[in-house]
Amino acid sequence: MLNPENAFTATVLGLPRIGPARELKRAVESYWAGRIDADALHEIARGLRTDQLTAVHAAGLDSVPVGTFSYYDQVLDTAVLLGALPERVRGIEDDLDRYFAAARGTADIAPLEMTKWFDTNYHYLVPELSVDTEFTLHPEKPLAELKEALALGVPARPVIVGPVTFLKLAKSVDGSDLLNRLPDLLPLYEQLLEQLAAAGARWMQLDEPALVTDLNETEQAAVYATYRRLAAVPARPALLVASYFGSLDEMLPILADAGVEGIAVDLAEGSDVEVPAPHGNTLIVAGIVNGHNIWRVDPDVALPRLRALRDAGAPVAVSSSCSLLHVPYSLAPETELDPRLRSWLAFGAEKIAEIRMLATALHEGQDAVAEQLEIARTAVLDRKADPRLRVESVRSRLADLDSDAIRRTPADARRVVQQERLNLPLLPTTTIGSFPQTSRIRVARAELRKGAIDTAEYDNRMRAEIAEVIALQEEIGLDVLVHGEPERNDMVQYFAEQLDGFAATVNGWVQSYGTRCVRPPILFGDVVRPVAMTVDWSTYAQSLTSKPVKGMLTGPVTILAWSFVRDDQPPADSARQIALAIRDETVDLEAAGIAVIQVDEPALRELLPLRKADQAAYLEWAVDAFRLATSGVAD
């Protein structure tokens, strides 16, 4: 039963950890390279945590997540917590080196596998478990970070990946059903609860995003039994079970009936998410501010939903829908963004301010934050009125195209005329595309950014790189060549920077995995291709050889998946607009004499909905977008 003195009003479910200027990335890579030692790395990390916790608390959050900091990945941290690292790394004596060996491997040790964290662009490390895995508790990290936060006067809430999600995400190396290991795992969670309570924690957050996926009756029963057991621990913090990236649906009453004090629900993922019915005095942590995208919240949409929860009798705290790991730290460095577009956005720091604004309006009344609400409303209205959001020439072209635009000639017939043109061997050889971004390329890009060289000189250097890789491929004897893509900073950003309707950031970094960071472009309006994007580079490469050189394009779904996308229209509509731009590029490449075009769609499955019932509709529009992008060329 929730103690009213324990209730809070404003929080986030997690915080980024790479550093506002990627300080942790550089420190970890320096440690790997031997330029700093472990003590120096820990000191840098401690400073980042201190600065972040202090700032978040000062911004008005009255419950602050701790333990979401990681040197590499939170699921790997949980494997360490539970003594579940693979046997092959256990011989490494140093804790930090053992941890990084599991993450990255060594010359003699294979790393853990890595895969997508649900439907995000973050990657987690997959624990390897079996019936023989012996779980042991190693709580030093969460206890130390709790102590650190409490010493700063921060109302800290430790965060750990929950037992059900940990087992659901793990890999069974012997084919066993890992949920059968719950009885072995739960005593460790019980011990951890007791130790955190003794150390001063009033709340503990258990992250269970697996609960928004399809669970059968046996799995649902296991969830209920798990949280019924944890709720029965006598000396423990209040329990907040946090799920995100979708709706809990049938799992919401199951969790409430299990006796946990709080449930975090994602109210931002999808436009059809219903306000969940409250249960007793369970605290509903309402994820109304989207932690997975970068648009400013509309208070006239958010506040009625929050009031509906409150008026139904539930204690309500305002929160992000998920961890802020998935958005950049702050808009402050983005001084080069179009000011109008910038006013529509909210990165991490701005989302925290939005949460505090909504919580104050909910609990104290709108007059207490009238000025902030007016600024937000003005920005929302301005965005709706911007003409870049509707380009009628694009919309009319799409309306005139067949919805099932495909290449009309069967593939077998196309292959005949293609072979007549290309005269390739039965098993032609080629490469996927990009060659390594050499130090010469990085230096040239940095000098261009600083103004030390002009665009003409930069282009000359890139042509020299292209000539080198063409010569290398001819020497090797490949049949279909690539130009190596030296001019491209990223396979998505490169195209986004040339398409109207997209914007790029200067410091909008988010963590993809480990120390790998990306700057997703912002898709804010209708997509228009003003000019050809790749033709000059491809034709230059083709001029250097008699062998065919592939045109290299990124597909519409991948561009969509690896961007912050507009939330004012269905993603299928945005995918078709991008597909139209790529289609025009294929036609221009064909007209310029390019005989082979490769369209990369590595992210085709990444946007696949978590619930099976929603997957068929996604696959239909995703495949249709690819067909639209590739059906404009001749046989």
Side-chain angles (χ1 to χ4, degrees):
M1 188 67 71
L2 178 66
N3 180 348
E5 295 181 0
N6 253 357
F8 52 87
T9 64
T11 191
V12 292
L13 297 189
L15 295 165
R17 61 268 186 136
I18 207 67
R22 295 182 293 163
E23 296 92 340
L24 185 63
K25 165 190 170 64
R26 295 186 179 92
V28 169
E29 291 176 352
S30 292
Y31 174 76
W32 292 341
R35 293 191 293 270
I36 64 172
D37 61 14
D39 289 341
L41 175 60
H42 293 323
E43 189 59 34
I44 292 168
R46 188 179 300 110
L48 288 171
R49 290 195 301 269
T50 297
D51 292 346
Q52 184 178 61
L53 292 174
T54 303
V56 167
H57 183 38
L61 299 191
D62 50 2
S63 182
V64 177
V66 299
T68 59
F69 172 86
S70 178
Y71 283 123
Y72 207 95
D73 167 56
Q74 68 268 19
V75 181
L76 176 60
D77 293 349
T78 310
V80 172
L81 170 74
L82 301 172
L85 290 180
E87 185 65 35
R88 61 183 177 273
V89 304
R90 294 187 181 181
I92 300 175
E93 292 186 7
D94 181 81
D95 292 343
L96 192 57
D97 290 344
R98 186 187 317 115
Y99 176 88
F100 285 132
R104 306 173 67 231
T106 68
D108 306 312
I109 296 173
L112 292 169
E113 293 179 12
M114 185 170 63
T115 194
K116 284 288 189 175
W117 177 249
F118 296 88
D119 57 353
T120 75
N121 290 329
Y122 178 75
H123 305 67
Y124 75 93
L125 289 160
V126 182
E128 297 174 0
L129 306 178
S130 71
V131 293
D132 298 322
T133 301
E134 295 183 10
F135 297 117
T136 53
L137 186 64
H138 302 271
E140 295 80 10
K141 179 181 183 293
L143 288 172
E145 292 183 18
L146 172 63
K147 180 180 179 181
E148 185 178 77
L150 292 177
L152 294 169
V154 172
R157 184 182 74 249
V159 180
I160 303 292
V161 175
V164 175
T165 293
F166 179 75
L167 292 175
K168 289 281 288 182
L169 295 184
K171 172 184 177 180
S172 176
V173 296
D174 60 359
S176 60
D177 184 349
L178 293 180
L179 274 187
N180 291 334
R181 298 302 312 275
L182 272 171
D184 304 314
L185 205 55
L186 291 182
L188 277 65
Y189 277 84
E190 292 172 326
Q191 294 173 40
L192 182 62
L193 283 171
E194 293 170 343
Q195 292 183 31
L196 289 170
R202 300 176 67 181
W203 279 91
M204 179 182 178
Q205 176 179 321
L206 290 168
D207 278 359
E208 291 283 16
L211 303 191
V212 304
T213 64
D214 294 318
L215 300 180
N216 59 39
E217 290 184 1
T218 300
E219 292 169 327
Q220 292 179 22
V223 172
Y224 176 78
T226 292
Y227 283 96
R228 191 74 177 168
R229 176 170 172 174
L230 294 180
V233 175
R236 61 168 177 82
L239 284 177
L240 171 65
V241 179
S243 204
Y244 34 83
F245 307 138
S247 174
L248 279 168
D249 293 334
E250 68 280 355
M251 296 309 303
L252 182 67
I254 289 174
L255 286 174
D257 292 343
V260 300
E261 286 77 14
I263 303 173
V265 293
D266 186 340
L267 300 181
E269 188 67 31
S271 59
D272 57 348
V273 178
E274 296 296 330
V275 174
H279 294 263
N281 71 339
T282 305
L283 177 69
I284 297 296
V285 178
I288 198 73
V289 172
N290 195 336
H292 197 191
N293 210 334
I294 42 73
W295 301 105
R296 183 190 281 273
V297 73
D298 184 344
D300 293 327
V301 172
L303 282 172
R305 300 192 73 189
L306 294 170
R307 289 194 203 99
L309 277 173
R310 181 199 60 191
D311 295 347
V316 177
V318 182
S319 176
S320 59
S321 62
C322 61
S323 171
L324 298 185
L325 172 72
H326 307 290
V327 295
Y329 272 77
S330 171
L331 270 172
E334 304 304 327
T335 56
E336 296 180 21
L337 270 180
D338 166 51
R340 190 172 187 184
L341 169 61
R342 192 176 187 271
S343 73
W344 308 339
L345 305 178
F347 290 179
E350 293 75 30
K351 289 183 183 297
I352 291 170
E354 288 183 319
I355 289 166
R356 185 65 265 169
M357 173 189 73
L358 292 172
T360 302
L362 178 67
H363 295 291
E364 301 177 25
Q366 295 193 46
D367 289 347
V369 283
E371 184 177 350
Q372 293 169 262
L373 289 170
E374 184 58 29
I375 292 171
R377 289 179 175 123
T378 299
V380 169
L381 291 173
D382 179 68
R383 180 184 172 202
K384 290 177 180 178
D386 193 297
R388 293 172 293 181
L389 272 62
R390 287 193 64 88
V391 178
E392 293 306 327
S393 60
V394 171
R395 292 175 180 252
S396 60
R397 277 191 68 194
L398 286 170
D400 291 341
L401 283 171
D402 290 341
S403 60
D404 60 341
I406 57 174
R407 301 185 76 177
R408 298 296 180 181
T409 307
D412 286 345
R414 297 200 306 269
R415 289 189 187 101
V416 173
V417 295
Q418 290 163 4
Q419 180 60 10
E420 288 175 357
R421 178 180 184 182
L422 297 170
N423 192 30
L424 294 172
L426 180 63
L427 294 175
T429 54
T430 188
T431 69
I432 282 295
S434 58
F435 273 54
Q437 295 270 310
T438 65
S439 58
R440 294 192 304 267
I441 295 172
R442 293 193 182 95
V443 167
R445 194 163 290 144
E447 290 181 347
L448 178 65
R449 231 175 6 248
K450 296 173 184 175
I453 60 174
D454 59 16
T455 302
E457 173 60 20
Y458 175 78
D459 290 350
N460 286 336
R461 295 189 191 183
M462 295 306 104
R463 290 190 186 96
E465 296 286 338
I466 291 170
E468 189 172 299
V469 300
I470 291 291
L472 173 62
Q473 292 169 88
E474 286 200 312
E475 180 183 349
I476 291 169
L478 298 184
D479 299 304
V480 180
L481 312 188
V482 299
H483 79 285
E485 304 173 29
E487 79 288 356
R488 303 187 188 182
N489 45 16
D490 175 86
M491 66 181 294
V492 170
Q493 185 180 344
Y494 175 78
F495 290 96
E497 287 177 345
Q498 300 183 77
L499 294 169
D500 291 347
F502 279 91
T505 64
V506 172
N507 198 51
W509 298 101
V510 294
Q511 185 180 13
S512 177
Y513 64 86
T515 62
R516 166 69 173 164
C517 300
V518 294
R519 278 186 297 144
I522 298 169
L523 172 55
F524 68 90
D526 280 359
V527 178
V528 177
R529 187 196 70 139
V531 295
M533 302 177 286
T534 67
V535 172
D536 287 348
W537 298 108
S538 295
T539 53
Y540 172 72
Q542 186 64 78
S543 74
L544 302 175
T545 178
S546 60
K547 292 184 174 183
V549 175
K550 289 189 290 189
M552 306 297 298
L553 303 175
T554 302
V557 176
T558 297
I559 292 176
L560 193 73
W562 292 354
S563 301
F564 290 123
V565 300
R566 57 191 297 186
D567 60 353
D568 60 335
Q569 69 179 18
D573 293 353
S574 296
R576 281 175 58 79
Q577 291 180 359
I578 301 169
L580 188 62
I582 300 301
R583 178 189 182 94
D584 289 345
E585 190 71 13
T586 66
V587 171
D588 283 351
L589 284 167
E590 178 191 26
I594 300 301
V596 182
I597 300 172
Q598 175 177 312
V599 182
D600 292 333
E601 283 285 27
L604 192 62
R605 287 179 57 87
E606 290 182 9
L607 293 182
L608 193 69
L610 300 177
R611 301 269 187 177
K612 289 182 180 178
D614 302 324
Q615 291 176 358
Y618 162 75
L619 289 170
E620 182 176 358
W621 67 253
V623 172
D624 283 351
F626 182 81
R627 286 174 168 159
L628 174 61
T630 55
S631 61
V633 293
D635 290 349

